[in-house]
Amino acid sequence: MEIKAAVVNEEGGPFTIESVELSEPQANEVLVRVVGAGVCHTDMIVRDQLYPTPLPAVLGHEGSGVVEAVGDAVTEVEPGDRVVLSFDYDDECSSCHAGHPAYCEDFFAHNFGGRRPEDGSSPLSRGDEALSGRFFGQSSFATHAIATERNVVAVDDDVPLELLGPLGCGVQTGAGAVINTLDPRAGSSIAVFGAGSVGLSAVMAANLTGCTDIVSIDIKGNRLEKAEELGATATVNPESVDDVVEAVREVTGGGPDYAVETTGVADVAEQAVDTLTQRGTLAVVGAPALGTRAGYDVNDLILNGRSITGVVEGDSNPKEFIPDLIELYRQGKFPFDELVTYYDFEEIEQAVEDSEEGSSIKPVLRVSEP
């Protein structure tokens, strides 16, 4: 079928809306009419080839929409179902069997390879040219997307469908880093480096889990204001202090018990671990270019009992965690809608620009009617 999709044709190039061909769903696949699609930092780092998904490609990995068709082997959803699209995984490796699909042994092929791992084909083409598709099992910067039964999450109809796409990646990443990975004890302290959608989702999750000192660190004043609205008890702007580490340690009474690094900047990751109190834990979430290295003093880790852990997708099982976050939203305990600014699909370049500049925390493209 012919669809409209935002294609990145060259490294660093624009998202250009073009007519492309989308194949019919295979046996385990689902055809989704995309209603909303969140714009995420990962889309930009692939556009810039910091992660090597082959170009030209259709990106987008925070989709929500309505199922239009399913393959013969699909049993969990049917046409007409409302769904959120999340990351893909093989559902066969030891991590998947242990309930941690974000650490699937074949995660990169399923999410960044640009092809179906099973047969090397792509559902997207332009004339005789195959385009990288199935980005994060979806490629949702398009009017329609092919996903798999594994990475679609059915949702109820009492919440705005166009709002829900960011739950598939950025929001669950930040919230899950706190809830699933750090699991902070009530009354503890936490510092969140970066106040984009991932960082602010971590702030909301820290508030939910009973952290009493929640520090948000960012260079954008509008984002720090939003952090305070969402539960941060203190904020630090690195451009307004002489020493970020000392500033964070001061407002937490000697250093936070936990920290979350969401910026993908190596220097910030180093600062984050230096802020920790004794036996503190840093969760590193931000994704820099492949091969980026950060340094630390080994004895600082040893003598202070500090830990550093990496986190992918909030260590979430999307089919369980996304419905949990939606229920928290219903109850008014997780107002992630306050992060969202809507754009028409044709405004995708403006949405990307606003995201990179920092004026929009979580741009969401309205692709079609719910």
Side-chain angles (χ1 to χ4, degrees):
M1 64 184 292
E2 184 176 289
I3 67 168
K4 295 291 187 182
V7 183
V8 175
N9 287 291
E10 60 186 7
E11 179 179 334
F15 292 85
T16 305
I17 296 180
E18 304 179 23
S19 294
V20 301
E21 289 293 321
L22 184 68
S23 65
E24 295 298 313
Q26 294 186 354
N28 70 334
E29 292 181 336
V30 179
L31 172 65
V32 177
R33 174 175 60 81
V34 178
V35 169
V39 175
C40 179
H41 173 69
T42 305
D43 297 306
M44 278 79 95
I45 67 174
V46 172
R47 174 202 62 188
D48 297 337
Q49 292 292 276
L50 303 183
Y51 273 37
T53 298
L55 301 179
V58 177
L59 306 178
H61 62 288
E62 294 183 344
S64 60
V66 179
V67 175
E68 289 201 339
V70 300
D72 294 341
V74 173
T75 61
E76 293 187 8
V77 294
E78 60 186 20
D81 284 352
R82 295 155 47 96
V83 294
V84 173
L85 310 181
S86 192
F87 62 90
D88 194 22
Y89 48 95
D90 65 22
D91 206 23
E92 296 175 353
C93 68
S94 59
S95 291
C96 290
H97 287 169
H100 299 277
Y103 300 109
C104 174
E105 293 174 10
D106 212 16
F107 185 91
F108 204 92
H110 280 266
N111 294 282
F112 292 99
R115 298 291 188 272
R116 295 178 174 102
E118 297 83 2
D119 63 11
S121 67
S122 172
L124 288 166
S125 61
R126 183 175 54 190
D128 295 331
E129 178 186 27
L131 304 175
S132 282
R134 283 276 299 271
F135 183 63
F136 274 71
Q138 53 184 283
S139 290
S140 53
F141 285 165
T143 56
H144 294 76
I146 292 287
T148 75
E149 186 173 30
R150 296 181 297 267
N151 72 310
V152 297
V153 181
V155 296
D156 294 331
D157 59 5
D158 62 340
V159 288
L161 185 56
E162 65 271 26
L163 170 66
L164 300 182
L167 294 175
C169 183
V171 172
Q172 80 170 350
T173 294
V178 175
I179 295 171
N180 298 328
T181 300
L182 294 178
D183 189 20
R185 64 186 182 278
S188 60
S189 57
I190 188 169
V192 181
F193 288 78
S197 62
V198 176
L200 292 178
S201 296
V203 166
M204 288 187 285
N207 194 32
L208 273 171
T209 54
C211 292
T212 50
D213 292 303
I214 304 171
V215 186
S216 178
I217 302 98
D218 202 282
I219 61 173
K220 297 291 185 180
N222 63 312
R223 296 187 172 198
L224 295 178
E225 290 175 7
K226 181 59 69 175
E228 290 180 326
E229 294 173 12
L230 296 174
T233 59
T235 61
V236 173
N237 186 329
E239 295 183 342
S240 302
V241 298
D242 293 329
D243 188 321
V244 175
V245 172
E246 288 305 314
V248 172
R249 290 180 66 81
E250 181 177 351
V251 297
T252 53
D257 301 299
Y258 306 96
V260 181
E261 199 297 298
T262 73
T263 71
V265 177
D267 289 348
V268 177
E270 293 172 358
Q271 291 173 341
V273 73
D274 286 343
T275 66
L276 293 170
T277 189
Q278 283 73 20
R279 302 178 61 245
T281 301
L282 167 65
V284 179
V285 175
L290 294 178
T292 299
R293 303 183 70 85
Y296 54 86
D297 187 323
V298 174
N299 282 303
D300 277 348
L301 293 186
I302 295 170
L303 297 176
N304 291 292
R306 293 169 176 161
S307 302
I308 304 171
T309 184
V311 184
V312 176
E313 294 287 351
D315 191 11
S316 303
N317 182 335
K319 290 182 183 291
E320 298 176 359
F321 196 54
I322 288 175
D324 289 346
L325 293 178
I326 292 174
E327 181 57 32
L328 289 168
Y329 169 73
R330 285 193 189 98
Q331 295 178 17
K333 298 176 180 178
F334 191 73
F336 72 96
D337 58 325
E338 294 192 24
L339 310 180
V340 169
T341 302
Y342 289 108
Y343 297 78
D344 292 336
F345 186 32
E346 294 75 14
E347 298 176 300
I348 183 170
E349 274 293 291
Q350 186 64 56
V352 169
E353 180 181 333
D354 290 351
S355 176
E356 293 185 308
E357 188 270 333
S359 59
S360 178
I361 296 172
K362 173 51 72 175
V364 173
L365 305 173
R366 283 191 166 117
V367 181
S368 68
E369 292 297 319

